[in-house]
Amino acid sequence: MGRVVVLGSVNVDLHLQVERHPRGGETLLAGGLERRFGGKGGNQAVAAAAAGAGTVLVGAVGDDDAGREYLRRLEAFGVDVSAARAVDGTPTGTAVICVDAGGENTIVVAPGANHRVGAEDLAALDAAAALGPGDVLLAQLELPLEVVAEGARRAAARGARVVLNLAPYAALPADVLELADPVVVNEHEAALLEADGQHPWSLLVTLGADGSRWGDLVVPGRRVEHVVDTTGAGDSFCGVLAARLAAGDDRRAAVEAATAAAAVTVQHEGAQPPRPRPS
Ligand code: RIB
């Protein structure tokens, strides 16, 4: 079974519960504020580890209490953080997330230490993470884009599979998109990709409650009676997808496992499970 190496972001998530999202110029009172663990990289790493993959996180936190607490938590979830760094002078990334009564969210991210990920961390992909055939590099776009692009190129050159989640959407060079199997986008990101004239050969589009489409493969969504919070759904999908592909699953089996994981995630508050599963 291959490993999953997540090249990705780590954020503290500040969740605000709102009846509805504010309009421009409007002030609303929130029903509650919770501080949780998030960041697309951290969320995906936790999901991959929970799905049984040996999981390594390459990324950065600030040299602060939040960053130290987060790295300890990732370790408790079984994620190898020996290739993650604490950087001086920049705080751990922070996201402000409004979740409305229907579980829908809006997110604004202050990248902080995530934007300090660079050459030193790419060296970790070659050294500590030592990607090779059978392994999966899983990356999203909350890190500097040139770092993601170079990480994908290095992983592919070493024979690893590259899974690229274009979230939040940004244009990547066509040669990088062509390395990914698959590129994962939601419908909104798919429209932006199309508008950029990019048509990756392996494109997996998630369709929310309607499931997903990966080329000819269509996998329906799981019925969920009560959606609490959709914040982490896409991330648990990507993390479990990467874990199952690293385990050798075919496309259908991997997407079905990812779909089931996303359905579980929308039924709890926050992007990550509150605590590791007992072993
Ligand atoms: O995908 C959800 C994540 O996006 C949140 O945890 C937040 O930190 C942002 O990175």
Side-chain angles (χ1 to χ4, degrees), residues 9 11 13 38-40 43 95 97 107 109 142 231 235 271:
S9 57
N11 294 331
D13 284 355
K40 296 182 194 302
N43 298 342
I97 302 177
I107 304 178
V109 177
E142 288 183 330
T231 305
D235 293 334

Side-chain angles (χ1 to χ4, degrees), residues 31-57:
L33 168 66
E34 296 285 344
R35 182 178 171 281
R36 300 204 175 94
F37 298 89
K40 296 182 194 302
N43 298 342
Q44 294 183 11
V46 164
T55 304
V56 180
L57 178 85

